Amino acid sequence: MSTFRLQLPTDPRWVNIVESNIEEILTDHAWCEQKAASNAITLITINSEFPDLVTDMLALAKEEIEHFDMVHEIIKKRGYKLGRERKDEYVGELAQYMKRSNTGSRVSGLVERLLFSAMIEARSCERFKVLSENIKDPELSKFYRELMESEAGHYTTFIGYARKYGTGIDVEKRWREWLDFEASVIAKYGKSETIHG
């Protein structure tokens, strides 16, 4: 987990907030998976000239939709309803940073989108770990531990493609800058029963 180099760990007490409204965290989580699948499709749409990237993003999109399905099954099994899509303020702030950081070239656009994606996966994975270790619900503890392992692989995929196709860009420097920015953003969160809240 330390390989993500996230600067600000999630306070485990956030799980107490989550436990006060399991239906809300599950709905929010389901929509996070849907957005992750959509993001992978967007990467394919904008960068269709890279066959390896297209192949891996297709696999990733399928996996995220499978996760959406898994969360939805838990929601149904517990007698909850999948609520309306939630606005993710945390992701919104990262998206604004991604747009500001793009120098206008196709390469810069690709690298920033990949680092944006890696950042969300890294934080989601960290949150899943905190949930798996602290939630008192055995089914959800196991579920989040399994998802954590999967999301870690996604993070690696995004970073790998940023390094591979980021010709002329210091990707390591950009990742450090992303980590600095994310720390300033996440400091405001951890107070609501959402994955990034």
Side-chain angles (χ1 to χ4, degrees):
M1 209 55 60
S2 60
T3 54
F4 297 148
R5 311 209 305 263
L6 293 172
Q7 295 177 10
L8 202 61
T10 296
D11 186 332
R13 286 175 298 184
W14 164 72
V15 178
N16 300 337
I17 300 166
V18 167
E19 287 177 321
S20 71
N21 195 344
I22 295 291
E23 187 169 7
E24 178 61 27
I25 187 90
L26 290 172
T27 280
D28 182 72
H29 178 193
W31 289 114
C32 285
E33 299 292 356
Q34 178 270 325
K35 288 169 195 160
S38 298
N39 181 59
I41 298 293
T42 299
L43 272 159
I44 292 169
T45 308
I46 303 170
N47 306 285
S48 55
E49 68 271 31
F50 303 121
D52 53 351
L53 180 103
V54 171
T55 300
D56 283 346
M57 289 302 114
L58 277 168
L60 195 142
K62 285 180 199 165
E63 198 175 320
E64 300 289 19
I65 286 295
E66 274 173 29
H67 292 170
F68 189 175
D69 185 30
M70 287 159 73
V71 181
H72 190 226
E73 286 304 316
I74 293 172
I75 288 170
K76 289 191 297 184
K77 190 172 91 177
R78 293 180 176 223
Y80 299 150
K81 289 250 179 359
L82 174 65
R84 304 290 296 176
E85 184 188 349
R86 307 296 195 252
K87 187 171 170 54
D88 192 325
E89 304 283 351
Y90 165 82
V91 171
E93 290 194 54
L94 296 189
Q96 287 304 313
Y97 180 68
M98 170 179 70
K99 286 175 188 151
R100 288 197 305 272
S101 303
N102 182 352
T103 62
S105 73
R106 273 183 64 74
V107 175
S108 172
L110 173 58
V111 166
E112 293 306 318
R113 169 70 67 168
L114 288 165
L115 295 182
F116 161 79
S117 306
M119 194 78 256
I120 296 168
E121 295 286 352
R123 179 58 71 183
S124 300
C125 190
E126 190 258 358
R127 286 279 166 104
F128 291 165
K129 183 174 191 285
V130 172
L131 276 170
S132 73
E133 290 172 352
N134 295 281
I135 203 162
K136 295 179 185 73
D137 185 311
E139 182 191 28
L140 292 180
S141 173
K142 180 173 182 285
F143 178 61
Y144 281 110
R145 189 167 54 253
E146 287 165 1
L147 278 193
M148 175 188 84
E149 290 157 8
S150 167
E151 302 292 329
H154 297 171
Y155 156 85
T156 307
T157 299
F158 288 125
I159 288 276
Y161 278 115
R163 288 175 179 140
K164 181 171 184 179
Y165 290 122
T167 311
I169 294 173
D170 186 342
V171 172
E172 303 312 313
K173 178 171 176 282
R174 282 300 302 133
W175 182 239
R176 285 194 300 275
E177 289 163 357
W178 266 97
L179 287 164
D180 287 344
F181 178 75
E182 196 268 352
S184 73
V185 171
I186 203 69
K188 297 180 285 188
Y189 294 93
K191 301 174 185 73
S192 71
E193 58 274 27
T194 57
I195 295 294
H196 303 122

